[in-house]
Amino acid sequence: MSDGNNARLLDPLFTTDAMREVFSDRATLQGMLDFEAALARALVATGQAPAGVLTAIEAACHEEAFDIASIGYAAASAGNLAIPLIAQLTRAVNRANKDAGAFVHFGATSQDAIDTGRVLQIRSGLALIEAELARISERLAALASEHAGTAMAGRTWMQQASPITLGLKFAGWLDAIERSRTRMAEVKLRALALQFGGSVGTLAALGANGTEVAAELGRDLKLAVPAISWHAHRDRMCEVVAAAAIAVGTAGKIARDFSLMSQTEVAEAFEPHEAGRGGSSTMAHKRNPVGCAVILSAAARTPGMVATMLAAMPQEHERGLGGWHAEWETLPEIFLAASGALYHLSAILDGITIDRDKMLENLSAQSGLAMTEPFTVALTKFESRENAKKIAEALARTAAESGQPLRDVILKDPQMQKFFKVADVEHFLNPKNFNGSAQAMIEKVLAARMPTASPDAQKKERSK
Amino acid sequence: MSDGNNARLLDPLFTTDAMREVFSDRATLQGMLDFEAALARALVATGQAPAGVLTAIEAACHEEAFDIASIGYAAASAGNLAIPLIAQLTRAVNRANKDAGAFVHFGATSQDAIDTGRVLQIRSGLALIEAELARISERLAALASEHAGTAMAGRTWMQQASPITLGLKFAGWLDAIERSRTRMAEVKLRALALQFGGSVGTLAALGANGTEVAAELGRDLKLAVPAISWHAHRDRMCEVVAAAAIAVGTAGKIARDFSLMSQTEVAEAFEPHEAGRGGSSTMAHKRNPVGCAVILSAAARTPGMVATMLAAMPQEHERGLGGWHAEWETLPEIFLAASGALYHLSAILDGITIDRDKMLENLSAQSGLAMTEPFTVALTKFESRENAKKIAEALARTAAESGQPLRDVILKDPQMQKFFKVADVEHFLNPKNFNGSAQAMIEKVLAARMPTASPDAQKKERSK
Amino acid sequence: MSDGNNARLLDPLFTTDAMREVFSDRATLQGMLDFEAALARALVATGQAPAGVLTAIEAACHEEAFDIASIGYAAASAGNLAIPLIAQLTRAVNRANKDAGAFVHFGATSQDAIDTGRVLQIRSGLALIEAELARISERLAALASEHAGTAMAGRTWMQQASPITLGLKFAGWLDAIERSRTRMAEVKLRALALQFGGSVGTLAALGANGTEVAAELGRDLKLAVPAISWHAHRDRMCEVVAAAAIAVGTAGKIARDFSLMSQTEVAEAFEPHEAGRGGSSTMAHKRNPVGCAVILSAAARTPGMVATMLAAMPQEHERGLGGWHAEWETLPEIFLAASGALYHLSAILDGITIDRDKMLENLSAQSGLAMTEPFTVALTKFESRENAKKIAEALARTAAESGQPLRDVILKDPQMQKFFKVADVEHFLNPKNFNGSAQAMIEKVLAARMPTASPDAQKKERSK
Amino acid sequence: MSDGNNARLLDPLFTTDAMREVFSDRATLQGMLDFEAALARALVATGQAPAGVLTAIEAACHEEAFDIASIGYAAASAGNLAIPLIAQLTRAVNRANKDAGAFVHFGATSQDAIDTGRVLQIRSGLALIEAELARISERLAALASEHAGTAMAGRTWMQQASPITLGLKFAGWLDAIERSRTRMAEVKLRALALQFGGSVGTLAALGANGTEVAAELGRDLKLAVPAISWHAHRDRMCEVVAAAAIAVGTAGKIARDFSLMSQTEVAEAFEPHEAGRGGSSTMAHKRNPVGCAVILSAAARTPGMVATMLAAMPQEHERGLGGWHAEWETLPEIFLAASGALYHLSAILDGITIDRDKMLENLSAQSGLAMTEPFTVALTKFESRENAKKIAEALARTAAESGQPLRDVILKDPQMQKFFKVADVEHFLNPKNFNGSAQAMIEKVLAARMPTASPDAQKKERSK
């Protein structure tokens, strides 16, 4: 039976300790207990319960005191965790103050406790994600500046296309990370909402005082108080996981690029070297990109989980059957995977090794055809764009088939000799001279970046 | 071969004409042509092309003039639609003005035209979705007001639980629809963005003038101009489809409720009756809930499509291989399904038939046990909450096992006779007296509703 | 850190102890150790290792002796579990016999141990699923026989359509379960296959002896020996999970039916009553269908997981990056969910309560229109089928609108009085007289059923 | 409105004409009409209808005669295609023979016609898939034989690992394709089944003759006759699409490998060169791997579609609401994508260009570290495996850090000079001497291959 910790053997690889704690079984129970304690305070504050019951209830709302195994087994019969938890809680409260038990969970339904507890976990989970995104953003901003002039091959359809700068690539990654940061801020506005409706959403057990208690409860828990309960309307949860999965997808895009750059034949960038990292059980030379593996794995796993959450939306009537249950294991799994993916991305960027020479050298691969476009552009001074493309295509083919560098083919061509001096060719074949607006784009991305907390604040956040 | 219309036999059932037109093959081509025309204007406006070329280019940018079949076949070899489209366009432009062809597509790459064209389609598609959501919102607001006092059974876990009002149910639906309206407004801010980066995102073919042309192009097309191109960063597209799928999920939740209420034995609400609607090939009496079938079908289909979009995010380098292609058929399919689902929801709400008497009658099903909670609450005047629940449980069991109404069981019970007069029992067993904050919640939802355009404006939008 | 048990709080609700043990972290390690022990035996049997090393290796291959926490943390750096496990194993073996460590894992790669260990877990998992399916099959066969004559409403599009028998419904469920049993038998033929290829699939470290060792290893582990290793070809895994998800889908279909029959207003069948089962924290009368919730939840979760497995198939080269990793948590989750769903289905069928009277009574709902089709058929003795349908439609409408029973409407109609005597009407409106081939179909399904093991053998299987 | 052809602009890229025809709207109607014609024959054969009606019914069952637009629009109201189709059919039959209309569709329900028609389409679709798989199998068998001795780098975790042969890679691909062929054969046994149950599955309208008519109908259509109808049990459909998606996944794995080998820096294998294929709108030198893009796109799209089919399984009662409808567009889409993916795979393999020299050259990349494992094995003659790995690791590091070839580092090392002569080093660093059982594995795969039809028969199949 669960010990409340429910760590899995592969958790150190696939997630972070901080996120695992946020969604541990113990934290799930504590989330519900935080709801119950706050409800008691709200009942007292609004005159629905005598002040005297508060001490006993608040004192009992700590998960350490609960027999977690028996709650799990009882949930198998009750159908949810709240019923056995509240039963144990009520007994404990009554032991301390025999009048107080009557006010435990008063006015609420199981789902109020479960959903609000989950929202509290989501709040912590989103804070971790935002902090990691901020760290990634900072690191990428530094890298984009540093490598604004580092030439490398731009690649499309998995083929070298035309030159870019490494800074531009980093800026593209950064821009997408920034959008994820904005998205996180937006979904919080809707998602961090109290769930409180009682058995069927009317708060009828509280008579006419339901909305007053709800307002107080939301204030206490620092959660938005929705106009109406949302027991069977799960769009809030779906939008949170979609935003998390999109962040993972962006991490996956970066890891895809990174793993392609790390290939033996490409060898442009590498994950941090650490003793034992990415070794092989048989091959002494291997340095496997472990971080990329984790990120790409998360990017493969989260889409199906989001589909589960979306497919579970048509929940029946006031509180549904099965759809709600499908969320219980799925949502935490998405946060766990997201946390692992972002952590590994952060770690890769912290310890990244970049080989600028190899980047330049790769631009000479396959006869240096990646410089065909600047050559074509240069030709348009003398020829129509259509003709220029045809000429460039022909010389590129010659280079490819003969294995000669494009440079040599151009220089040897009688017509080209008429158009260009050697220095001209050197100039337009130099990747540094074909960057267009790359620098301007990098600057725009950097200028638009959301502010991040100080590094110290970040460290604190992460170790929480 | 496609006639550009590419209507499917089941389109009248599953989608709307308006959305089908937005994502028709012809509209896809026109989207790209709109990009090309705007690019020509931007090139002229920024001095990158002579003003004289504009007439020829703009005149040629109309999809009617293109041989759609040959574009489709050529795309099979080229790998995308832009290459053959631009080849045909350039030839047409050159026929009109032999100097103008050179400025067609100048500075852009295929994906710039394809993505921006798609964004233009998304803009039209989102407008249709927003208009339908607004109509649904209006109708639900009216229904929530009208039925604020209509008593019915609240149901949880597919069992009658405690009474609610039909107005509360409508208000819950409305609140979720409103969140979708907000979400649509938010995703537009990021998603309706220009794609313009040239072959590898540097706009190098435009030398130092790339960002200026981009700014002008965005202004012309009324699209946001991003800091950097996003060819291989697909989070914008993913967030659009996630928002659409969430709206469909909410429609699915409503259709689930509705189809349950329409069951023969429940018979509380019905889809509009029209001749031929929902008939059967063999059963003369059948009135199948066709609208619900369409909505639930859309809610079953969109999650997998969103998963596809998310799973396709890790696209390689500057422009990816396969992942981008996976979006081409998937994104329109989501819009088509969403449009059909929301249209049917709108139509159901327009012609809904409600049987208030049956709603009340159903509260008497199974001995009227749905009134157990108010009975329990009433008991707490005399007993502890724990005892009250035990007593209520015992009498509910007696009622269930004997088949007698709970009312009779209470009235016959000696202890209850001590607590309650007949009038008391009548009072607390009247569902109208156990609505808690339902009315207040309805009012809050209505007050928070986003404004909608006038009905005339809506009609116009819809018929576009 | 994981204690190797990695039970979660909701496991008692969502899965079975038996399946949890099969896929526990400890069992995962033991699977790899079983591979390593068998490999040692195969090396000795084929002369690749001296017989003397066997005792030390076999003695060390027990998971209890390993420091599970340190393996988990080391996996975070190594990228998989095998590397730290084999390092610990080798040290342990060397302590017992300093010559033996050299033969640990000899010729194999990490993925050989991980995949083969996983296949051994799958074998145990499939055995549990097959045993549960057999139990369900037996129970459904008994129920189909018992209720071959129990009349109830057949329902299509969530509306009463025409009468069926409960036996027919059970037989339909049974037939689908039987197909799942056949599927399980088929996928085992391909899926229960050895993984053994060495670093890149050539078994090169074993020189010319690779295939001989592989043959011996397969014989030892009782696994099929494939022609070639399948490190990056994951179709075997995908077909296993697809088959499991299809079985869950069938369970979901049954739970959907069951939960609809259990609704308060329908009240035809109920989950087993047990103290505390399906109670509510606030409503004393509630008996929530907990089993259905679990099954429907599993049916909502497994499709997304299968999508993950399928989407992860395009794994790179000889052994992939990320795709393989995505399977590690996903595949066990599918087995856990499947086990829980099938267990709950089994439990529901064991303790099912059926209300035959209510089934009959429901056929009278909505004027008894469910008997419209037999009436139409009876009319075809006097009228064309087209006319018969029109007449029936008109009288059905009269019944529906007036609220009178169809029977009364028919008996009062002058034309009908010419066609039918009262006894005729009684006859064709009796659902027992409109069952067509239902009985024959039930018999066919029962006759085609695969044999099941004795109940004792089943019990044993289950408690393993 | 649909013209029955419903081709899309991107169909030439994403699918095949043959498969598009199988699932065209016209073919969908014809499938239903084939059911109706066969039903008429079965009714006559079993004495349920007079022989005289057959001519009129059979003559009318040709889709060309139907007004497809009106059927589509009527379906929007009826909720399915069968109702308007059968209405038109009945009118047409009655025009030819006024007694015959009464026997159209007699005993059947809409879903019988729709599902059986769909099964007939699936039969044609599976035949196309099987034929393409057979062609791929043949081509791969030839390539595996031809390249059994072609050395190349084996790559794991996207890093060079140890040498393999290209033949081994092809054999691995082939082995997976063969499993898909077997799977296709298996699913057909269950999936190609008649659907025939009447309104609620009892065939009640046929009285006691239902099973006899069903048997005759199955015989006529050459479909398996199931024991019971399966209207709301969709496992057959799910298993078909899962098998198709697995085949696509295998194609995706191959395309992933291929696109990685085609990268500019790797340059080991290329898609067929054809004029215009894979060109760029701006870069004259580009040869984009269009086939891989299509295959990877299909591999990204089908998992979500399979998830939709699985998630739609819990269909209500005798015939469901929404779940069934979700299949209508999803299943054909899977076949269309599968057909396109397999066609492109076939085309790539037909015209593949392989650069053996570059494969060998790539083995020298990064100091030739891919030969570290054979070096380690060679060391085990002198050192323990543990020590050997440590030594190899150290020398590999030296090579990597200094940029010297591993060969030179070994030859310069004093200790190594004691162990090995130059010829020894040459021998173990020659990739041809470290292939282990590769050749034996290739032979086993080839020997296990299922027979394929003659090339002529294949060509015929394909052009059908």
Side-chain angles (χ1 to χ4, degrees), chain C residues 102 179 199 235 257 373 385, chain D residues 102 179 199 235 317 373 385:
Chain C
R179 284 193 295 279
S199 60
D235 54 290
D257 282 10
E373 191 187 7
R385 271 176 67 219
Chain D
R179 284 192 294 280
S199 61
D235 54 289
H317 289 310
E373 191 186 7
R385 272 176 66 219

Side-chain angles (χ1 to χ4, degrees), chain A residues 271-438:
Chain A
E271 293 201 9
H273 286 303
E274 294 165 29
R277 185 178 168 98
S280 152
S281 65
T282 49
M283 292 168 288
H285 68 290
K286 280 303 281 298
R287 288 287 170 270
N288 290 323
V290 171
C292 289
V294 172
I295 299 168
L296 289 168
S297 159
R301 290 182 67 207
T302 42
M305 297 177 196
V306 172
T308 292
M309 295 285 294
L310 291 170
M313 282 187 75
Q315 295 184 13
E316 297 86 1
H317 289 311
E318 279 53 71
R319 292 195 280 119
L321 184 80
W324 180 44
H325 302 78
E327 298 175 10
W328 294 351
E329 303 278 31
T330 306
L331 184 141
E333 210 61 52
I334 294 170
F335 273 87
L336 292 169
S339 179
L342 296 177
Y343 166 77
H344 276 279
L345 177 53
S346 197
I348 289 173
L349 296 174
D350 280 351
I352 193 173
T353 311
I354 290 163
D355 189 335
R356 297 177 198 222
D357 297 338
K358 185 70 184 173
M359 286 180 174
L360 211 55
E361 184 192 323
N362 282 338
L363 276 165
S364 307
Q366 220 185 1
S367 302
L369 293 184
M371 301 312 293
T372 305
E373 192 186 6
F375 167 45
T376 313
V377 170
L379 271 169
T380 56
K381 283 183 212 152
F382 311 98
E383 296 278 350
S384 73
R385 269 176 68 222
E386 213 176 336
N387 278 353
K389 202 179 162 195
K390 273 185 201 155
I391 293 168
E393 206 164 347
L395 297 195
R397 199 178 313 115
T398 304
E401 284 166 10
S402 68
Q404 299 174 74
L406 177 64
R407 180 185 178 281
D408 298 357
V409 173
I410 295 171
L411 290 175
K412 280 183 209 161
D413 184 273
Q415 194 188 5
M416 296 305 106
Q417 288 169 350
K418 285 181 209 153
F419 294 162
F420 306 117
K421 285 180 276 188
V422 174
D424 295 336
V425 176
E426 302 284 5
H427 185 269
F428 66 66
L429 290 188
N430 183 341
K432 307 233 170 190
N433 299 323
F434 197 68
N435 287 332
S437 305

Side-chain angles (χ1 to χ4, degrees), chain D residues 114-461:
Chain D
I114 294 171
D115 279 355
T116 302
R118 182 50 45 99
V119 167
L120 296 173
Q121 290 176 290
I122 290 171
R123 180 164 65 191
S124 302
L126 287 177
L128 291 173
I129 287 178
E130 287 191 290
E132 203 70 88
L133 287 171
R135 295 189 77 238
I136 292 166
S137 167
E138 250 177 35
R139 188 69 187 115
L140 280 175
L143 287 165
S145 292
E146 185 184 342
H147 290 283
T150 306
M152 74 181 296
R155 296 170 178 105
T156 64
W157 296 63
M158 291 187 73
Q159 295 290 312
Q160 284 195 15
S162 286
I164 59 166
T165 62
L166 178 57
L168 184 84
K169 189 182 272 274
F170 285 139
W173 296 358
L174 171 56
D175 201 45
I177 290 289
E178 288 296 301
R179 284 192 294 280
S180 270
R181 294 178 70 201
T182 306
R183 238 170 249 128
M184 292 298 153
E186 283 176 11
V187 300
K188 283 196 296 186
L189 297 179
R190 274 180 298 272
L192 300 185
L194 178 69
Q195 181 69 283
F196 187 53
S199 61
V200 288
T202 58
L203 288 172
L206 291 168
N209 306 300
T211 55
E212 195 192 348
V213 176
E216 183 54 34
L217 186 47
R219 198 157 31 235
D220 184 287
L221 292 169
K222 297 190 178 56
L223 292 177
V225 180
I228 194 167
S229 70
W230 45 280
H231 293 129
H233 286 282
R234 312 305 292 179
D235 54 289
R236 285 176 165 94
M237 298 294 98
C238 287
E239 117 174 90
V240 165
V241 297
I246 289 173
V248 173
T250 289
K253 185 272 178 288
I254 297 173
R256 181 76 76 203
D257 281 11
F258 202 88
S259 61
L260 289 166
M261 289 193 282
S262 300
Q263 291 171 103
T264 306
E265 296 86 354
V266 180
E268 294 178 342
F270 305 94
E271 293 201 8
H273 286 303
E274 294 165 32
R277 184 179 170 97
S280 152
S281 64
T282 49
M283 292 168 286
H285 68 289
K286 281 300 285 297
R287 289 286 169 271
N288 290 324
V290 173
C292 289
V294 172
I295 299 168
L296 289 168
S297 160
R301 291 182 65 207
T302 43
M305 298 177 194
V306 171
T308 292
M309 294 285 294
L310 291 170
M313 282 188 76
Q315 297 183 12
E316 298 86 0
H317 289 310
E318 280 54 70
R319 293 195 281 119
L321 183 80
W324 179 43
H325 302 77
E327 299 175 10
W328 294 351
E329 303 278 29
T330 307
L331 185 142
E333 212 59 52
I334 294 172
F335 273 87
L336 292 169
S339 180
L342 295 177
Y343 166 77
H344 277 278
L345 177 53
S346 197
I348 290 172
L349 296 175
D350 279 353
I352 193 174
T353 310
I354 291 163
D355 188 335
R356 297 179 198 221
D357 296 338
K358 185 70 181 171
M359 285 180 175
L360 211 55
E361 186 192 321
N362 283 339
L363 274 165
S364 307
Q366 219 184 3
S367 302
L369 293 183
M371 302 311 294
T372 305
E373 191 186 7
F375 167 45
T376 314
V377 170
L379 270 169
T380 54
K381 283 182 210 152
F382 311 98
E383 296 279 349
S384 73
R385 272 176 66 219
E386 215 175 333
N387 280 352
K389 204 182 160 193
K390 274 184 199 154
I391 295 168
E393 207 163 345
L395 297 195
R397 199 177 314 115
T398 304
E401 285 165 8
S402 67
Q404 298 174 74
L406 178 63
R407 181 184 176 281
D408 297 358
V409 173
I410 295 171
L411 290 175
K412 282 183 207 159
D413 185 273
Q415 194 187 6
M416 296 305 107
Q417 288 168 351
K418 285 182 210 153
F419 294 161
F420 305 117
K421 286 178 276 187
V422 175
D424 294 336
V425 176
E426 303 285 6
H427 185 267
F428 66 67
L429 289 188
N430 182 339
K432 307 233 172 193
N433 297 323
F434 196 69
N435 286 333
S437 305
Q439 179 63 31
M441 291 169 175
I442 294 169
E443 282 162 18
K444 277 190 182 185
V445 171
L446 292 175
R449 212 165 67 82
M450 283 172 70
T452 46
S454 72
D456 280 1
Q458 285 173 35
K459 225 173 269 171
K460 221 176 290 170
E461 185 64 36

Side-chain angles (χ1 to χ4, degrees), chain A residues 18-61:
Chain A
M19 192 63 88
R20 201 183 45 66
E21 274 164 35
V22 166
F23 287 101
S24 74
D25 288 337
R26 291 241 164 244
T28 297
L29 294 185
Q30 188 58 53
M32 290 189 265
L33 292 167
D34 287 347
F35 168 86
E36 299 295 347
L39 173 58
R41 285 190 293 272
L43 290 169
V44 168
T46 58
Q48 302 301 307
V53 306
L54 205 50
T55 315
I57 297 179
E58 286 190 314
C61 284

